[in-house]
Amino acid sequence: MAMKGPGLFSDIGKRAKDLLTKDYTYDQKLTVSTVSSSGVGLTSTAVKKGGLYTLDVSSVYKYKSTLVDVKVDTESNISTTLTVFDVLPSTKLATSVKLPDYNSGKVEMQCFHENASFATAVGMKPSPVVEFSGTAGAQGLAFGAEAGFDTATGKFTKYSAAIGVTKPDYHAAIVLADKGDTVKVSGVYHLDDKQKSSVVAELTRRLSTNENTLTVGGLYKVDPETAVKARLNNTGKLAALLQHEVKPKSVLTISGEFDTKALDRPPKFGLALALRP
């Protein structure tokens, strides 16, 4: 199902967030994906974090407009998600549960229209938390809001509002989150038409503590297979990332971070290899 309209509330400011955080890892991670002759996709992921190792295996099967995803990890958790596309025009319906925690189940629905979108999620327990969000807009301008309500306590667990602007050469967003306590302003600007070079900045202010966090970063695509990213915030933490496509769809990522204001602390390094057919 091709998404249309202004996108979901979670898409507002996502370009800046992804450029600053996506693919940065400080663990060792290996992901191997295969597709069986019957069309079942299998993905095995091994992660070394500190001295601990974790492993999970997931399988994905798609039949017409239905997608079934089952994931099993080394802690004996079984996560299952059933997604049905276009149950109604431009609508996605999903139900998920993570065993053995039966109360983790929830049902989600997303609806897309040319000038609006709506999403809701309801927990599958007697007094669930209900989350809902909506976005409206056109011609690259989007307004959105989201909220979460706990039916057990009768109180809101969260509420946020945002506005976003998307143009061919830049993306900007203002988000009021954490029940009005956090203001986040972000922007991405592409330095060329092919978007080989981009710069990003994000300013976060927490009103209750008068705390400000400024993060700047950039992306440069050396060639179609290689990209370099970097970021720096006002606390002095500098991070960099090198990503290279070793073969089609298979990506090697090397990243690191160190504190420029505490050079005596050891830097963090991460390595991730994703092998796909």
Side-chain angles (χ1 to χ4, degrees):
M1 181 186 70
M3 187 181 72
K4 59 182 181 180
L8 298 172
F9 177 83
S10 57
D11 294 329
I12 299 178
K14 187 175 185 296
R15 296 289 186 96
K17 180 180 178 181
D18 284 351
L19 207 159
L20 289 172
T21 62
K22 187 178 180 180
D23 296 324
Y24 284 94
T25 179
Y26 308 115
D27 307 317
Q28 286 74 53
K29 182 178 180 180
L30 174 63
T31 303
V32 180
S33 301
T34 59
V35 179
S36 67
S37 58
S38 60
V40 178
L42 298 174
T43 300
S44 300
T45 303
V47 179
K48 179 186 177 183
K49 187 172 184 178
L52 300 177
Y53 292 85
T54 60
L55 174 68
D56 64 68
V57 179
S58 63
S59 63
V60 179
Y61 179 70
K62 185 175 183 180
Y63 178 74
K64 295 183 178 180
S65 60
T66 302
L67 189 70
V68 181
D69 188 342
V70 179
K71 180 179 179 180
V72 181
D73 61 31
T74 50
E75 296 182 352
S76 301
N77 294 313
I78 302 175
S79 303
T80 304
T81 303
L82 174 65
T83 305
V84 181
F85 300 92
D86 292 322
V87 61
L88 294 173
S90 300
T91 300
K92 182 173 78 173
L93 181 66
T95 179
S96 61
V97 64
K98 184 175 181 179
L99 303 176
D101 182 9
Y102 293 93
N103 289 326
S104 65
K106 64 179 179 179
V107 177
E108 300 176 75
M109 185 177 68
Q110 298 176 355
C111 302
F112 302 95
H113 185 268
E114 184 176 353
N115 296 312
S117 67
F118 174 78
T120 184
V122 182
M124 297 170 58
K125 58 181 182 179
S127 299
V129 173
V130 181
E131 298 180 349
F132 44 90
S133 66
T135 308
Q139 299 180 348
L141 181 64
F143 300 88
E146 71 168 355
F149 184 77
D150 190 339
T151 58
T153 62
K155 297 180 180 180
F156 282 97
T157 58
K158 65 177 181 179
Y159 45 83
S160 307
I163 178 173
V165 180
T166 299
K167 297 296 181 182
D169 57 345
Y170 71 89
H171 312 274
I174 301 175
V175 179
L176 181 63
D178 299 328
K179 298 182 179 179
D181 186 47
T182 301
V183 180
K184 184 179 295 184
V185 181
S186 63
V188 177
Y189 182 74
H190 304 296
L191 302 177
D192 57 277
D193 294 339
K194 296 183 179 180
Q195 300 185 5
K196 292 180 59 177
S197 304
S198 303
V199 292
V200 59
E202 181 183 81
L203 175 63
T204 302
R205 178 174 176 80
R206 188 169 292 275
L207 302 179
S208 60
T209 60
N210 290 323
E211 179 184 358
N212 296 319
T213 303
L214 174 64
T215 307
V216 296
L219 163 71
Y220 177 67
K221 296 181 180 178
V222 181
D223 54 47
E225 293 80 29
T226 309
V228 179
K229 294 203 304 183
R231 72 177 185 218
L232 173 68
N233 64 22
N234 63 321
T235 64
K237 291 186 178 180
L238 175 64
L241 174 152
L242 172 66
Q243 198 167 61
H244 179 69
E245 191 175 41
V246 294
K247 68 175 187 177
K249 299 181 181 181
S250 296
V251 178
L252 172 67
T253 303
I254 303 173
S255 56
E257 180 184 271
F258 71 95
D259 192 338
T260 61
K261 296 182 179 181
L263 297 179
D264 56 321
R265 296 180 182 175
K268 300 177 182 179
F269 290 103
L271 177 68
L273 178 61
L275 301 175
R276 299 181 179 87

